Amino acid sequence: MSTLTANPDPTHAQAHGWRWAPWWVLAFVALWPAPGYAEGVMVLGALAAIVKLLLARFRGGMQLLSGPAWALTSVLFFAYWLPELFSAVDAADQARALKESLVDLRYLPFLWLVAAAVAGDRARRITFVGLGVIVGIWTIDALLQAGFGASPLFSGIDRIKHAISGHGMCPVQNLAQDRLSGVLGPCNLKLGLVLASLAPFALYAAARRFGAIGWIVASAAVGLVVLMAGSRASWITYGLVLLLSGWRLLGWKKLLGVFAFGAVVMAALVVFSPQVRDRIERTTQAVTADQEGVDVALSGRTRIWGAAACMARQHPLNGVGARGFREQFTACDPESGKLPAWGSGPALHAHQILLEILSETGAIGLLLWLAGAAMAWRAWRYASAAARERARPAMLALVVTVFPFNTHLAFYSTFWGGLTLMLAALYAGSLLARER
């Protein structure tokens, strides 16, 4: 039996988790529209976790996490962080790269806190249902924006920001109106991807409370927002969520009906929504166009991927350094001097998880990421049926977020890296929680 399995001995299950941990996690997620405050909550949570964990261990017990949960959470963090550290050795800006890798150590105690937030049955319900509620509130807010032209939540946040600092959340020159932005605002167009990655928590909560009807209603509401948010990557992510969660609840025939209904809704949006129509037209160009047309259809992705492949060839061992893509892009740009499809300036990251890992952290980074994935799979394989069931929402959210056959945000950025690590800790903590 693997060492990464939960200890079923009831004598070890008398006190585990931390009753405040779920609220730290929910506050962290709820404050994503204000990134600075979310970062502050994360840092404070990390400090609180260090104090709490030291005190708990000095009292002689694994009261917060089971041993396997400690191990897997730490392994998944180091599979993410060690590539960053190794890539800093010969990065273009070595001092900055080393500083960033050391600063990112703050994630480790915060991940222990996240895992503790799902270590007990009550805490896990609070955390998972709370995440589902946040997704539901953000979905309703986005639907109101679609109907009335403004997000009530973002408008409120923007007014508070004006009152505090005299200016809004978004500089006027950065306002974008080409897709639904919701609570995150028109200068942070990640709503579709965020809702798609967190959707499993909302769908499982709805199914648990209202059965198949609840799942269908919730999936329709979230899906409508994901479609109007305009990111094709989020469409793929959300399609995977529906596929992997719906077939167990509805069966294949009813699930096909859900997808058929979704196709009808998309066809209607193509007629009535210029933003969705533009995304569909650009996607279909990729099938019939030449290489230049394909690059335009993919918003310059083929050019970015060519540069990423160049960096991987030139720095095969440890890459150009985490977050060093933008500095090296010009030297590896396959179409240097030509105006890119995204406008002006260098590409900021590879937009694809495997190419990001290879170009920024090299073969060492890829091997460490694969090792982390193997340990996560091994833990799932040897877990009990009950453990798999309680961890399923977190597992699904993590799988669709790192699904390799898609385009992605930067995993070594503060926002998307923090989201991914949080999902990894939720998975490890819920799968390997102590069983009574």
Side-chain angles (χ1 to χ4, degrees):
M1 180 63 70
S2 168
T3 58
L4 293 180
T5 53
N7 188 341
D9 185 355
T11 62
H12 295 278
Q14 294 176 357
H16 53 282
W18 182 23
R19 64 175 180 171
W20 294 109
W23 306 108
W24 281 106
V25 175
L26 296 178
F28 172 64
V29 175
L31 287 172
W32 281 347
Y37 293 102
E39 184 78 2
V41 167
M42 189 270 288
V43 172
L44 290 175
L47 293 174
I50 291 173
V51 173
K52 180 70 175 178
L53 294 173
L54 288 175
L55 291 175
R57 289 177 70 82
F58 278 129
R59 289 177 186 145
M62 288 275 187
Q63 296 181 1
L64 297 177
L65 291 172
S66 68
W70 276 89
L72 184 59
T73 303
S74 302
V75 163
L76 295 180
F77 167 78
F78 283 111
Y80 172 91
W81 181 76
L82 284 176
E84 181 182 12
L85 178 64
F86 292 146
S87 72
V89 172
D90 57 353
D93 189 346
Q94 188 181 54
R96 180 176 180 271
L98 284 171
K99 177 184 175 183
E100 290 297 324
S101 63
L102 292 176
V103 167
D104 282 352
L105 278 172
R106 71 195 190 281
Y107 282 120
L108 181 57
F110 182 71
L111 295 187
W112 289 335
L113 181 144
V114 173
V118 291
D121 293 338
R122 181 176 180 274
R124 186 165 50 253
R125 284 195 299 270
I126 293 173
T127 304
F128 283 3
V129 172
L131 290 173
V133 169
I134 291 173
V135 171
I137 292 173
W138 287 357
T139 298
I140 294 171
D141 173 77
L143 292 174
L144 291 174
Q145 181 188 9
F148 300 101
S151 159
L153 288 177
F154 180 76
S155 298
I157 295 171
D158 197 50
R159 283 194 294 270
I160 294 172
K161 180 69 172 177
H162 265 290
I164 295 174
S165 62
H167 58 81
M169 294 290 293
C170 294
V172 176
Q173 65 270 22
N174 289 343
L175 295 181
Q177 302 294 337
D178 65 334
R179 64 180 79 172
L180 205 62
S181 58
V183 68
L184 298 181
C187 59
N188 187 13
L189 300 178
K190 301 183 180 77
L191 180 68
L193 283 168
V194 170
L195 288 184
S197 287
L198 297 183
F201 300 104
L203 299 189
Y204 273 90
R208 183 182 181 89
R209 182 69 177 84
F210 301 106
I213 296 299
W215 185 94
I216 291 172
V217 172
S219 65
V222 176
L224 187 60
V225 172
V226 169
L227 284 175
M228 290 189 293
S231 166
R232 289 169 291 184
S234 67
W235 298 352
I236 295 173
T237 300
Y238 191 64
L240 288 170
V241 172
L242 295 180
L243 180 66
L244 297 176
S245 66
W247 73 268
R248 300 179 72 248
L249 180 66
L250 304 179
W252 289 111
K253 292 183 180 179
K254 291 182 180 179
L255 184 60
L256 287 175
V258 170
F259 278 102
F261 176 75
V264 172
V265 172
M266 178 175 283
L269 288 175
V270 168
V271 175
F272 295 106
S273 172
Q275 294 83 8
V276 175
R277 181 165 61 249
D278 175 66
R279 292 294 190 279
I280 295 295
E281 289 175 352
R282 290 172 64 182
T283 302
T284 56
Q285 287 176 9
V287 180
T288 59
D290 56 15
Q291 182 175 354
E292 182 177 356
V294 170
D295 188 60
V296 172
L298 296 176
S299 303
R301 296 291 195 274
T302 58
R303 182 171 175 178
I304 294 172
W305 295 339
C310 165
M311 295 178 204
R313 288 193 301 269
Q314 293 182 1
H315 304 269
L317 189 61
N318 65 339
V320 300
R323 303 301 288 154
F325 192 93
R326 68 187 74 190
E327 284 79 14
Q328 299 295 321
F329 177 78
T330 302
C332 271
D333 186 358
E335 300 177 32
S336 180
K338 182 179 177 181
L339 184 67
W342 58 87
S344 60
L348 303 182
H349 59 97
H351 289 270
Q352 207 282 328
I353 183 172
L354 295 178
L355 289 175
E356 179 183 352
I357 294 169
L358 280 172
S359 62
E360 296 190 7
T361 66
I364 293 176
L366 182 61
L367 288 174
L368 286 168
W369 273 73
L370 291 175
M375 293 300 289
W377 165 245
R378 181 177 173 83
W380 180 268
R381 179 184 176 188
Y382 285 106
S384 66
R388 294 183 185 183
E389 192 59 33
R390 66 173 177 255
R392 199 171 296 276
M395 179 275 295
L396 179 54
L398 181 61
V399 166
V400 300
T401 299
V402 299
F403 181 65
F405 302 107
N406 198 0
T407 59
H408 305 90
L409 299 178
F411 285 94
Y412 279 103
S413 66
T414 298
F415 177 77
W416 204 244
L419 180 147
T420 306
L421 287 172
M422 181 194 74
L423 294 178
L426 290 174
Y427 166 74
S430 55
L431 181 71
L432 299 175
R434 294 188 182 95
E435 298 180 356
R436 292 186 183 277

